[in-house]
Amino acid sequence: MTGDSFGFQFENTYTTLPSGFFTEVAINPVANPEIVIFNRSLAQQLGLDADALLAKGASVLAGNEKLEGAAQLAQAYAGHQFGHFNMLGDGRAVLLGEHLTRNEERFDIQLKGAGRTVYSRRGDGRAALGPMLREFIISEAMHALNIPTTRSLAVTSTGELIYREQALEGAVLTRIAQSHLRVGTFQYAANFAEKEDLRALAHYAIERHNPNIMQAENRYLALLEHVLEKQAALIAKWQSVGFIHGVMNTDNMTISGETIDYGPCAFMDVFDPTTVYSSIDTQGRYAYGNQPNMALWDLTRFAESLLPILHDNLEEAIALAQPVVETFPSMFEANYFSEMGKKLGLLSIEAQDEKLILQLLDYMQRFEADFTNTFRALSEGAKPSEPLFQSTEFKEWEQKWLARLESQGTTIAEARDFMKTVNPAVIPRNHVVEQAINEFVEGEPALYLELLQVVTNPYAHADSKFSEPPTDDAPPFVSYCGT
Ligand code: AMP
Ligand code: MG
């Protein structure tokens, strides 16, 4: 079966970039590919033949069979990992190509875990089934929460074992993205390529993500502004659902503004800005409350890599970039308070609202309230018997909130109807996700499939087994890299 019979329409504009940006890959076939989870609605959205893919697509989605028109390449990039600069690149991912939908939308189709590439260094190029099931469910939950993200089309088991601390079942994730351009791609160009190559990359990014800015007076400065805006909006959305990425390295920050690379990420249960999940993040660099700062740190690296093309004179280039980068904190804050305001039914943010929001968060932290359930309880008009809701602090705060709603002319009933469309009843909680994945890997997918159904309809009322926070005696959740 050729690619065409699945509905793939590849175009490979990435290959028009200078040759240093990618390397073609001959994918090593795997023993026994089998699709273990498939995203039918995404397949349909992409204009692919879902039935054909599900029935006969395993060998294509594992990389065993080359699709017609697919370029099959690994992308070069660099990046700061926990602050340390390294040459990286797709060490275990292969970009099949850019699929064009019938509406002329362009999406990267990438196989993650498809084997070694020239950028693999000491790695085996493979991924384990558990972590790929994790990326699948969390990315789809993020999408359902209206947060820009790469999507997951399928997880295909390989029928081969891979070796980590123990032998694990191997799998390949089919990842869909507006593009896989990263801050790290620009760092690669700035550090390891010629200025002309950097310029070619910037042109490519502009053409792909915001062609309008080709007309701007300084189009590279406009690109910087564009990426800052996208990231300010994205990180504000993360904060508003308690999402902790876990590895905000510059290679994991996209130019498109999509969330990418679901490794040791998780949703926060109890509200605490110091929450960290990654086992290797001993300093709390990527803690929940530090994500906006780290986004700025990463974006400053992005600005630095653009300097050579912003102006021929370095000082002039810095003078152009600096004031733009400095807009990030206020841009983030505007997005953040707007998102948080919506969670409280506020249609716009007035001067006193920031205090109102911060005060609630302060009480939530003090009374160890669950982040998701607190906002959902406010939306439903419920008063659970939890310390926060019983406290005089909360009761006083509630009066101020109700007065504020009244001042914007919203009844509490109207506000709650709106809030129920903003505050999820359920997010993929670590303890449930872990259990669901473990059972799936043991051959029992039922809980995972049920959870997937629930977290991809996050505003509907959910069975309490999915919305309850972990019990106090549950071991703290830690997630590991090297997946
Ligand atoms: P990540 O932590 O997934 O963002 O990956 C960081 C870098 O390590 C990227 O260049 C990956 O391609 C590479 N990498 C991660 N896992 C593997 C693996 N099993 N084999 C080869 N390269 C890998
Ligand atoms: Mg990465």
Side-chain angles (χ1 to χ4, degrees):
M1 180 174 271
T2 69
D4 284 346
S5 54
F6 296 117
F8 284 105
Q9 294 292 335
F10 284 117
E11 210 178 75
N12 299 300
T13 59
Y14 211 76
T15 60
T16 64
L17 281 171
S19 62
F21 283 106
F22 60 91
T23 309
E24 276 176 44
V25 184
I27 302 180
N28 259 337
V30 296
N32 188 20
E34 234 174 277
I35 296 175
V36 297
I37 183 118
F38 187 74
N39 193 336
R40 186 173 276 280
S41 77
L42 177 58
Q44 283 160 351
Q45 243 169 282
L46 293 169
L48 301 174
D49 185 338
D51 291 324
L53 265 174
L54 203 46
K56 298 181 195 144
S59 72
V60 155
L61 298 181
N64 281 16
E65 225 179 300
K66 192 170 174 174
L67 281 164
E68 207 174 283
Q72 292 197 180
L73 50 90
Q75 294 176 318
Y77 53 85
H80 278 92
Q81 298 177 296
F82 290 88
H84 301 284
F85 186 71
N86 292 309
M87 174 60 202
L88 299 166
D90 286 333
R92 57 162 171 177
V94 177
L95 177 66
L96 295 186
E98 301 141 34
H99 166 68
L100 285 183
T101 69
R102 278 185 217 101
N103 306 330
E104 299 282 302
E105 289 171 304
R106 183 180 301 271
F107 291 100
D108 275 6
I109 312 281
Q110 195 200 58
L111 301 182
K112 180 172 176 178
R116 287 181 55 80
T117 74
V118 290
Y119 310 112
S120 297
R121 292 167 292 165
R122 284 181 300 279
D124 59 3
R126 295 291 175 193
L129 177 58
M132 295 306 99
L133 289 171
R134 190 158 218 286
E135 172 153 347
F136 187 102
I137 197 166
I138 307 240
S139 62
E140 289 307 303
M142 292 285 274
H143 175 71
L145 291 164
N146 303 311
I147 301 177
T149 176
T150 63
R151 305 282 311 271
S152 298
L153 181 65
V155 176
T156 307
S157 62
T158 60
E160 292 179 358
L161 292 176
I162 65 165
Y163 298 91
R164 297 293 181 261
E165 265 141 39
Q166 48 185 319
L168 299 168
E169 203 174 339
V172 176
L173 174 84
T174 311
R175 180 157 74 180
I176 312 297
Q178 282 173 27
S179 88
H180 283 84
L181 293 172
R182 308 147 190 265
V183 167
T185 319
F186 282 82
Q187 291 183 292
Y188 165 78
N191 285 278
F192 303 115
E194 302 297 321
K195 191 160 150 179
E196 279 320 301
D197 301 341
L198 174 62
R199 194 172 279 133
L201 178 66
H203 272 221
Y204 182 79
I206 292 170
E207 290 286 4
R208 194 142 174 198
H209 294 300
N210 194 351
N212 295 336
I213 61 183
M214 281 310 260
Q215 320 310 329
E217 193 188 327
N218 185 332
R219 54 178 73 132
Y220 309 120
L221 199 61
L223 174 64
L224 177 59
E225 278 164 1
H226 174 78
V227 175
L228 286 165
E229 277 165 24
K230 289 275 176 191
Q231 289 294 333
L234 178 67
I235 310 298
K237 281 180 179 281
W238 288 2
Q239 300 305 90
S240 77
V241 294
F243 176 75
I244 302 170
H245 183 283
V247 227
M248 287 179 68
N249 295 333
T250 55
D251 57 303
N252 293 338
M253 179 177 269
T254 58
I255 300 306
S256 67
E258 294 173 296
T259 312
I260 195 169
D261 257 2
Y262 294 88
C265 60
F267 287 77
M268 183 167 52
D269 294 301
V270 166
F271 177 66
D272 178 356
T274 66
T275 308
V276 151
Y277 289 114
S278 168
S279 61
I280 56 173
D281 191 2
T282 48
Q283 308 289 312
R285 179 181 172 93
Y286 297 138
Y288 170 81
N290 214 24
Q291 294 192 129
N293 292 333
M294 283 299 114
L296 175 58
W297 194 91
D298 289 353
L299 291 162
T300 307
R301 306 287 83 75
F302 180 53
E304 281 168 6
S305 46
L306 288 175
L307 289 176
I309 54 172
L310 284 177
H311 200 284
D312 284 337
N313 177 296
L314 180 62
E315 274 168 28
E316 299 265 358
I318 294 172
L320 286 170
Q322 196 153 334
V324 172
V325 171
E326 282 169 2
T327 61
F328 183 79
S330 58
M331 207 151 63
F332 165 75
E333 282 209 358
N335 279 281
Y336 173 73
F337 284 112
S338 162
E339 294 290 341
M340 295 305 288
K342 281 192 252 167
K343 290 175 82 70
L344 293 175
L346 304 183
L347 305 173
S348 63
I349 292 294
E350 313 270 311
Q352 73 279 21
D353 293 339
E354 296 188 3
K355 205 170 144 208
L356 188 74
I357 291 163
L358 294 176
Q359 203 166 38
L360 175 64
L361 290 172
D362 180 38
Y363 298 152
M364 284 168 63
Q365 185 174 5
R366 231 190 290 161
F367 291 99
E368 299 184 358
D370 183 86
F371 186 77
T372 304
N373 290 356
T374 299
F375 285 103
R376 188 66 186 187
L378 290 175
S379 317
E380 286 174 355
K383 287 269 171 62
S385 62
E386 280 152 29
L388 172 72
F389 292 103
Q390 305 311 320
S391 69
T392 43
E393 286 92 335
F394 173 78
K395 285 172 187 157
E396 280 172 27
W397 176 87
E398 191 183 28
Q399 291 313 311
K400 284 189 243 170
W401 173 49
L402 293 173
R404 173 68 181 88
L405 287 179
E406 210 177 309
S407 80
Q408 72 174 11
T410 314
T411 66
I412 183 68
E414 287 165 345
R416 288 197 171 121
D417 280 347
F418 171 71
M419 287 163 66
K420 276 183 266 187
T421 68
V422 175
N423 293 308
V426 60
I427 37 105
R429 290 185 191 266
N430 321 314
H431 63 291
V432 195
V433 172
E434 286 301 290
Q435 192 194 339
I437 290 171
N438 290 340
E439 288 182 16
F440 197 134
V441 171
E442 296 295 322
E444 291 291 338
L447 179 66
Y448 181 95
L449 297 175
E450 196 187 347
L451 180 64
L452 180 64
Q453 177 66 28
V454 170
V455 297
T456 51
N457 293 284
Y459 305 107
H461 183 76
D463 186 324
S464 62
K465 81 174 166 188
F466 296 118
S467 60
E468 261 163 36
T471 50
D472 286 345
D473 56 355
F477 175 82
V478 186
S479 169
Y480 297 89
C481 285
T483 51

